[in-house]
Amino acid sequence: MPEYYDRIFGICGFQDTEIERERSRIERALDKIGVGPEDIPRVEQRLREQHEVELEGVRKILRAWILELLDLVLAKEEGKTVIYYGYPSIQGPGMAISSESGENVYVGCPDVVLCHTVGLIFDKLAPFLEAAETNGLPPGHGLCSLQQIRNGGLALGVVPVPDLVIASSYYCDMGSKADELLHEIYGHPAVYIDGSMDSRWGEFPRYDLERIRFLGGQLDKLFANVEKILGIEVTRRSMKKAMATSRVLYSALGQLTSLMTADPMPISGVVSGIAMNLAAASTGRSMSEGPDALSTLCKEVEGRVKSGYGILEKGAPRVLNFAHSFSDPGITHMIEKAGLALAASFVTVPPGKRDKSLKLYSLGEELAESAMRGGAYHSTYGFAKRFAEAARSLSMDGVIWGYQYNCRPMALGSHLFKQFIEEETGIPTLSLEMDYYESRTYGAEALRTKVETFAEMLRARKAKA
Ligand code: SF4
């Protein structure tokens, strides 16, 4: 018998037979996240107006995210071992653990999954944030809202207490501090992976080899601990499988970025945003559903480019941003309505190639070396340099450096990035203080004036060129 939620699951790409099969899981998950019949009209409107659900590829990606949410919140009830990792994370270890351990283990990044589902689709994140604010992470205490969402999810009993946490402390020490608090409250084991961001200004892409040895050793320690604590051995075979899937996903994201630089821009950045983090935050549905969903999307977007279809007028200034809001599509739409084509995100631009002469002695060192090339894990300079190079190579008209206001690594480069990118490339850059994970304070309206002024300036500059 149809239920109140069937319509929105249908919009998100679920077939009737699948809804029937998953009904008990869907109901238990909706109950946990607090979505009831009264929410459905609002959710349906959000999906239809903000998510381009007329595209099959979008529906497939939304479906993958919802399935990931069900897997996450029901993991313990379904008898799974649960492993969480932090965000951002070096790509590879999570997927390798997942592919080695199979169906009985859930591996993922719960806060990002909650952002992309409870936030982006259902718009019900506020109770999670409020729960965190009374459970050790009050507002203004400097731990970012992503950490609050993880904390709130656990406090409300929506996400299960994990059997192991992998805390990434090589870029963001705030995630591991928040994980330490959760470890004290819930008692689960945690492995902290440290690194060192120390480097001389101007050093990127070079680095001190000791940094690879150190971070590589930390990653190898992670694999040793996963084996010791959970009995899961990460082998080269499982890492190869993980990296192969990851390559498929990231090459589709690269294709999507290149399609989005078409004039007029064929789809909203909201779409590339939901596609991008599937690979970064999920190791289950990203591997099983991701490749097909992204390939369907790329084909459809290619069709739009060929037919000259655009969501903005031809000639709109093209902008490189850092990333899209994880939980509020209204922010990306506001930027696009101001007339800016969010044609590429920093995170979808691939890094340089490995130096083949470099001797690497373990799986951990190989992962560390690849992370170093990405720039962001290298240093503030490496991050800024890669940003500038991406803007120049994609011939962008502008850059929006949206920095998370309560994130130490990002806030460090707040105004420095603007200065650096403008000096290196001459491309105007907007330094935009914002919140990627929740929008109670930094909503679209709060950001609108700065964005519209920037858009006006870019248009005037383009007209003169
Ligand atoms: S936003 Fe910053 S503080 Fe929060 S998890 Fe990401 S890197 Fe860490």
Side-chain angles (χ1 to χ4, degrees), residues 87-88 144 146-147 171-172 174-175 404 406-410 437:
Y87 186 94
C144 81
L146 193 63
Q147 307 307 330
Y171 173 66
C172 157
M174 299 165 77
Q404 177 74 21
N406 51 8
C407 161
R408 191 156 65 205
M410 279 203 259
Y437 314 112

Side-chain angles (χ1 to χ4, degrees), residues 86-105:
Y87 186 94
S89 256
I90 289 173
Q91 189 73 15
M95 278 189 178
I97 296 168
S98 187
S99 68
E100 193 62 53
S101 50
E103 296 280 292
N104 298 327
V105 178

